[in-house]
Amino acid sequence: MTEHDAPHTAHPKGTLFLIGLYGVLFVTGWFAVYLLVYLRRGGVTP
């Protein structure tokens, strides 16, 4: 079996890195909005 006959089920190199990077950017952005917008407006007031 040559490399051209290999199945195409494997992810390209870097796919997991890109998914992780997207997750880190999402979480960082969410916390930035939470801290810089939500808490400065007072959050939930009883």
Side-chain angles (χ1 to χ4, degrees), residues 34-45:
Y34 176 74
L35 294 173
L36 300 176
V37 176
Y38 179 74
L39 290 182
R40 286 192 179 175
R41 292 183 181 178
V44 178
T45 55

Side-chain angles (χ1 to χ4, degrees), residues 9-33:
T9 58
H11 293 292
K13 292 182 180 179
T15 302
L16 185 59
F17 172 76
L18 290 176
I19 293 172
L21 181 64
Y22 179 78
V24 168
L25 289 175
F26 177 81
V27 170
T28 303
W30 191 90
F31 274 113
V33 169

